[in-house]
Amino acid sequence: DDVKVTISVPELNIRDSEYLDQLDADEKETLEEFLLRIPNCSEPGVYDVEINVEFDEFESTTETSQITIHPGNHCSVYGGAEVEEETSKGS
């Protein structure tokens, strides 16, 4: 009863959770939508992802996986500080 699934990337301080009212031991359920917004100026690299499942009030289990973040073009360094680049479309 009351299953909570939390996915997080601790190094980036991001997380999202989804809930199921009930799940039997021999059942499978797919949760398709977790939203993890990677900060624009995150360093490219491989980060640990923690998947934590809480159930039966005080029981839990945790699995670890990894995610690779590739370089983006939304952040640049200006005068020693990171600045988000603004892109504009126009004539």
Side-chain angles (χ1 to χ4, degrees), residues 9-82:
V9 183
E11 285 184 82
L12 300 176
N13 197 30
I14 56 175
R15 70 178 55 227
D16 190 24
S17 297
E18 292 291 329
Y19 299 86
L20 294 170
D21 292 330
Q22 184 175 343
L23 185 66
D24 294 329
D26 58 346
E27 281 187 310
K28 291 184 179 182
E29 182 73 31
T30 301
L31 296 170
E32 295 182 16
E33 295 192 24
F34 286 90
L35 179 63
L36 295 174
R37 293 186 188 268
I38 307 299
N40 284 336
C41 296
S42 297
E43 288 290 323
V46 178
Y47 291 84
D48 287 334
V49 176
E50 294 180 0
I51 301 114
N52 182 270
V53 180
E54 298 174 33
F55 53 96
D56 290 339
E57 294 187 38
F58 301 106
E59 299 291 324
S60 68
T61 184
T62 302
E63 294 286 329
T64 303
S65 187
Q66 293 185 321
I67 188 172
T68 301
I69 296 178
H70 299 280
N73 60 356
H74 296 292
C75 188
S76 63
V77 176
Y78 179 75
E82 293 180 344

